[in-house]
Amino acid sequence: MSTVLTTDPGEAAAFIRDGEVVAFPTETVYGLGANVLNRTAIAKIFAAKERPADNPLIAHVAHVDQLTELVQHIPETAQRLMDAFFPGPLTLVLPKTNAVPASATGGLDTIGVRMPDHPIAQALIEASQAPLVAPSANRSGRPSPTTWQAVAEDLDGRIACILQGPPSTRGLESTVLDCTKAVPLVLRPGMISLEALQTVVPETYIPDQQTKAHRRSPGTRYRHYAPRAQVILAPSSDMVPRSSTCAFIGLTTPDFPTWVYQHVFPDQEAYARALYTAFRESDQLGVDAIYCQTVPRTGLGRALMDRLERAARG
Ligand code: TXA
Ligand code: MG
């Protein structure tokens, strides 16, 4: 299959309406979209990504009216969170309707829904006249793509179309929040911090990694976000060996910067925005190991540490 590149949401939407899959930009990472009600198209997403069938997809909407066909009802806490954070990088897990195919949700009776804060994503959803289920547009296990070029690197020839846009401005995926119980719980830390969620619903919490609740988000079980090079967590930039086969990324400049590839970011937002690109660029240079400076586990730091630890597990 030859993959069509376009900047026109209308041209991309025609592929969606034909039952094909289309990669598109969002503020977090690029997604690989299909009509949520089209089982054949959903199967194409899993095939293109080589994604395990029990890993559920997030449905993307352009306006709240589209939630009616996807979720049974919107609890009061979920409504407050939507008022505060939609559109934006927050995914709410809610009981699904029968209209949503089981293959979209990995067999679960819930569905994750989010409204991307991105004009091109919204234009594509509008022109497709349907909500779009979309995982990140990478091959399973690889770092998520934050540019259309990274999508092409993983999926060229495997999908019908890439809707080209600028690089993603946020860089890490949405926060996935289970809203099926009275108290919301974070299944995947992401671009909306726990602290921000707690300003709206103070009881919101992140379960301990080993608890059963955490296993409710099947995606968190799998190998994730990993470059080919070994990822090594470095609390300090100075404990890193000087080696021409290593890369360094972090927030403070090492004393002896002799890396093949070194990226020192001004703050956590910039670190998050560029992390997956740094992984991919390090791989292109053929480095053996990427030393990644750790950050405190608060605010955006929770999402950064989550992705770094998963990548380090390889
Ligand atoms: O920012 C994002 O969320 C991006 C962009 C494209 O929107 N999407 C994304 O999708 O990261 P994906 O498929 O790569 O990750 C979805 C995560 C997985 O960990 C999955 O297990 C979890 O969300 N998830 C989706 N639906 C769920 C559900 N019904 N119950 C529990 N976890 C769910
Ligand atoms: Mg993903």
Side-chain angles (χ1 to χ4, degrees):
M1 171 188 308
S2 75
T3 301
V4 171
L5 299 178
T6 181
T7 56
D8 176 8
E11 186 182 358
F15 285 104
I16 298 279
R17 290 196 302 272
D18 281 352
E20 294 296 337
V21 299
V22 172
F24 64 98
T26 85
E27 77 278 33
T28 56
V29 300
Y30 273 66
L32 182 60
N35 182 334
V36 64
L37 302 179
N38 187 328
R39 289 180 177 75
T40 317
I42 291 168
K44 289 179 187 173
I45 289 181
F46 284 90
K49 279 184 62 92
E50 297 173 22
R51 181 178 175 102
D54 65 349
N55 195 353
L57 307 177
I58 294 170
H60 297 66
V61 298
H63 43 86
V64 285
D65 298 352
Q66 287 180 314
L67 295 176
T68 321
E69 64 180 322
L70 302 177
V71 305
Q72 284 179 23
H73 65 103
I74 298 173
E76 196 263 333
T77 44
Q79 185 62 55
R80 270 162 43 212
L81 292 159
M82 283 166 49
D83 292 345
F85 299 111
F86 276 23
L90 177 65
T91 296
L92 302 180
V93 172
L94 293 166
K96 82 171 188 69
T97 60
N98 289 333
V100 176
S103 60
T105 62
L108 297 176
D109 54 13
T110 57
I111 182 161
V113 293
R114 112 169 172 90
M115 186 186 294
D117 185 14
H118 199 287
I120 300 174
Q122 291 189 1
L124 176 68
I125 299 166
E126 291 282 6
S128 302
Q129 296 170 323
L132 301 181
V133 274
S136 50
N138 51 287
R139 290 270 198 124
S140 259
R142 299 263 298 135
S144 297
T146 53
T147 62
W148 67 262
Q149 291 92 339
V151 175
E153 190 180 296
D154 276 18
L155 297 175
D156 188 36
R158 301 175 69 89
I159 60 176
C161 176
I162 298 175
L163 177 55
Q164 298 164 294
S168 299
T169 51
R170 308 302 294 273
L172 299 182
E173 298 84 350
S174 64
T175 304
V176 178
L177 192 64
D178 185 337
C179 288
T180 59
K181 302 278 166 356
V183 179
L185 80 99
V186 175
L187 299 176
R188 177 179 72 181
M191 288 301 322
I192 302 283
S193 69
L194 177 65
E195 292 84 350
L197 295 169
Q198 287 172 337
T199 63
V200 179
V201 183
E203 307 80 40
T204 306
Y205 69 107
I206 299 186
D208 181 77
Q209 287 220 336
Q210 305 312 318
T211 65
K212 216 168 147 192
H214 203 75
R215 289 198 289 272
R216 266 194 268 161
S217 187
T220 56
R221 279 201 304 266
Y222 296 108
R223 179 177 181 273
H224 256 96
Y225 318 112
R228 291 185 192 92
Q230 192 187 358
V231 169
I232 298 168
L233 303 185
S236 153
S237 57
D238 294 330
M239 59 172 276
V240 178
R242 296 165 63 183
S243 159
S244 59
T245 61
C246 290
F248 171 79
I249 57 179
L251 293 170
T252 53
T253 308
D255 285 346
F256 305 104
T258 57
W259 320 108
V260 186
Y261 180 91
Q262 174 185 300
H263 231 305
V264 177
F265 303 106
D267 51 39
Q268 288 193 1
E269 282 72 23
Y271 196 170
R273 189 180 308 126
L275 179 68
Y276 293 140
T277 301
F279 281 173
R280 285 177 183 265
E281 286 174 357
S282 300
D283 275 347
Q284 278 153 9
L285 290 167
V287 307
D288 295 333
I290 308 169
Y291 284 81
C292 301
Q293 193 172 359
T294 55
V295 296
R297 256 173 246 267
T298 56
L300 179 56
R302 274 195 205 84
L304 257 172
M305 285 304 294
D306 175 76
R307 305 306 187 269
L308 291 176
E309 282 172 346
R310 283 175 203 287
R313 256 178 260 148

